[in-house]
Amino acid sequence: MSAPHELTMLRQAAAVRDGELAPTELAEHYLRRIEELDPLLGAYLTVTADRALDDARRAEERLAHLRPGEAAPPLLGVPMPVKDLVPVPGVRHTLGSVVFAHQVAERAPHTVRLLDRAGMVLLGKSNTPEFGLPAYTESRVGPPARTPWDPSRIAGGSSGGAAAAVAAGLAPAAPGSDGGGSIRIPASCCGLVGLKPSRGRVSTAPFADVSGLAVEGPLARTVRDAAALLDVMARPAPGDPYAMPPATDSYLSHCHPPRRRLRVGRLATPDVAGVEVDPEVLRVYEATTALLVELGHEVVDVAQPLRSGDRDAFTPVWAVLAAMTPVPPGREGELMPQTRWLRDQAAAFDALEYARAVAALQHVGRRHAEAVEPWDALLTPTLAQLPPKVGELRNDEDPAADFAAQLAFTPFTAPWNMAGLPAVSLPLGWATGPEGDLPVGMMFGGRHGSEGLLLSLATELEEARPWADRRPPVW
């Protein structure tokens, strides 16, 4: 058998079920790799070594007591982290902030309970920026998260730690969360599959987000692993405000090429004035278009549906999200400058102004959804630029310039959150430079609830241009 970290998540789960690989052996293997490689990459804020070994031993006991014909839970004995925006009882829960460096969570949200029920072994808490706000993962509570393809460059944000862990073989897959691109941005930076599901597909319970922007989803090396992790996570909770009925088929069952010719729209023109797309990104975009045509799909250029000023609704809503986390009295000054800048803006809005901003955001989202409706999928680059060096986007002296730089880096991702539509980033190209190869993600979005079709198309593209065996130098 290959080294355990070289196996896909699904192959690891099968090896555990078949007795080829003991959960404790698997956990110990990942803990050794984390100890060796994570100081370079900053993938983890907290490593739960004792908890991982306890979880692995419980998985072994559960396997030993399965009745004849009884199916094992789908992730039994499979190790992975949970993003440090998401609490796990008894584990340090920093929210990416030095203000909460010593906080320990008491209550498990719905998705953590689902992962526990599926048999996950918890490796720790993956790195995230403060409150999950920036498109980079840099904070004062831990080291920056770096892409394993070039550790001088960012892993993206806000699920940067999760992506760095999976790409470097420090976890087989990982859940992330995405309020403006926070799964797809690091997926592109780290050469992974990153799926943002439709609004309501994955429960946010017990958290409240009246904007409807954020949703949890999978990061993985393969489409099948991403689909299998989504199968675990996509279960509604009572009272979900945007609940969708459970899918009639598993997402894993959609991992086959489409059985018909698809109509794919494409655009690479950002709606943000003055933003130019890197020529290497455009080269991969054109190569992806050629591949779609080669596979028999119809590809048509479409106009950018967003207009000048449409983004004006996003910033105040994002600012209020930044302000929703209560900070102990006297500790606001310890927050990152970007966080304080957003929270200061939120303090200036009254309830009526915020309600109007949410309404405007929904109006823009509907226009984006109307533009997507005629197509089976819409192709765009995931990012406008290659992953920048650590610290290049961050600007503590000028948070407004910091925010503008993030927007120029990520102009294609947030509209899918505004509309609540699914979108997946796929590592369909590579930029070769003097410092080595850098992954370039291409994004496919679809109509509300069309995760199955996106996974089908992603499977076809993965089969045509396999990427899982292309591994970073630290591997």
Side-chain angles (χ1 to χ4, degrees):
M1 184 188 296
S2 302
H5 69 277
E6 295 178 344
L7 304 176
T8 67
M9 182 192 78
L10 283 170
R11 181 68 185 90
Q12 287 183 15
V16 166
R17 288 194 302 270
D18 296 342
E20 300 174 19
L21 191 58
T24 50
E25 176 188 357
L26 190 54
E28 288 169 349
H29 177 81
Y30 276 111
L31 291 170
R32 285 194 298 270
R33 284 187 63 81
I34 292 167
E35 184 177 14
E36 176 187 357
L37 295 173
D38 198 47
L40 174 68
L41 300 174
Y44 287 81
L45 284 177
T46 301
V47 178
T48 53
D50 291 342
R51 164 75 180 264
L53 294 174
D54 286 346
D55 286 351
R57 284 188 282 268
R58 281 192 291 270
E60 290 176 0
E61 292 174 6
R62 192 166 181 180
L63 274 169
H65 292 91
L66 286 177
R67 295 185 297 272
E70 181 184 1
L75 299 182
L76 186 61
V78 175
M80 64 180 63
V82 169
K83 186 176 178 179
D84 207 16
L85 294 185
V86 180
V88 176
V91 177
R92 189 171 78 131
H93 178 48
T94 74
L95 299 166
S97 176
V98 71
V99 172
F100 299 104
H102 303 293
Q103 176 176 252
V104 175
E106 297 179 356
R107 183 181 180 189
H110 185 63
T111 50
V112 169
R113 292 196 297 270
L114 291 173
L115 290 165
D116 283 342
R117 197 179 307 160
M120 173 193 73
V121 169
L122 181 72
L123 288 171
K125 302 299 290 296
S126 61
N127 200 352
T128 186
E130 193 164 68
F131 305 165
L133 297 169
Y136 50 78
T137 300
E138 300 172 34
S139 73
R140 292 171 177 161
V141 77
R146 304 168 182 268
T147 176
W149 293 93
D150 176 358
S152 72
R153 297 176 183 268
I154 69 171
S158 63
S159 304
V166 176
L170 308 186
S177 59
D178 191 316
S182 289
I183 288 171
R184 293 157 289 153
I185 295 163
S188 183
C189 291
C190 295
L192 300 175
V193 179
L195 175 62
K196 182 202 88 69
S198 301
R199 181 178 296 150
R201 180 65 76 193
V202 176
S203 174
T204 60
F207 306 118
D209 171 15
V210 295
S211 73
L213 289 172
V215 63
E216 291 184 70
L219 284 151
R221 284 163 42 209
T222 70
V223 175
R224 285 177 56 80
D225 280 358
L229 188 50
L230 182 60
D231 277 324
V232 169
M233 299 173 71
R235 295 288 184 271
D240 280 344
Y242 305 112
M244 297 179 69
T248 55
D249 300 315
S250 74
Y251 293 106
L252 192 56
S253 72
H254 288 272
C255 291
H256 55 75
R259 296 190 172 98
R260 61 180 176 86
R261 185 187 193 209
L262 301 184
R263 298 186 71 240
V264 180
R266 70 166 205 159
L267 68 88
T269 304
D271 66 290
V272 183
V275 172
E276 296 185 2
V277 181
D278 187 283
E280 281 293 287
V281 174
L282 290 175
R283 179 185 61 79
V284 177
Y285 171 76
E286 294 297 344
T288 301
T289 299
L291 177 58
L292 290 165
V293 173
E294 177 186 325
L295 293 171
H297 302 300
E298 177 188 7
V299 184
V300 179
D301 288 317
V302 300
Q304 170 60 252
L306 270 61
R307 305 166 187 164
S308 177
D310 280 348
R311 298 273 181 159
D312 294 347
F314 184 85
T315 305
V317 174
W318 199 248
V320 170
L321 286 175
M324 285 183 66
T325 301
V327 171
R331 302 200 65 180
E332 284 279 342
E334 298 176 51
L335 297 175
M336 299 291 291
Q338 173 79 187
T339 308
R340 295 200 308 271
W341 177 73
L342 288 166
R343 289 168 71 95
D344 287 346
Q345 290 186 66
F349 303 138
D350 62 24
L352 184 57
E353 288 172 320
Y354 180 67
R356 286 172 174 159
V358 171
L361 192 75
Q362 292 174 350
H363 180 73
V364 174
R366 287 191 179 97
R367 185 161 1 99
H368 181 80
E370 288 169 359
V372 174
E373 192 65 23
W375 310 99
D376 293 307
L378 184 67
L379 164 67
T380 74
T382 305
L383 302 172
Q385 303 161 17
L386 301 178
K389 299 284 188 178
V390 171
E392 281 187 350
L393 291 180
R394 177 179 165 186
N395 188 339
D396 289 351
E397 301 302 317
D398 188 349
D402 180 319
F403 195 78
Q406 293 181 60
L407 183 56
F409 179 47
T410 66
F412 299 107
T413 56
W416 300 94
N417 300 81
M418 297 181 194
L421 303 182
V424 61
S425 181
L426 304 175
L428 280 165
W430 307 85
T432 301
E435 297 168 327
D437 293 347
L438 286 173
V440 179
M442 290 290 116
M443 186 165 59
F444 292 87
R447 308 179 191 102
H448 194 250
S450 66
E451 288 88 349
L453 183 59
L454 291 179
L455 288 166
S456 180
L457 176 58
T459 300
E460 182 178 40
L461 293 167
E462 183 179 33
E463 291 178 358
R465 297 288 187 273
W467 55 68
D469 289 334
R470 188 165 187 166
R471 292 162 182 169
V474 302
W475 188 270

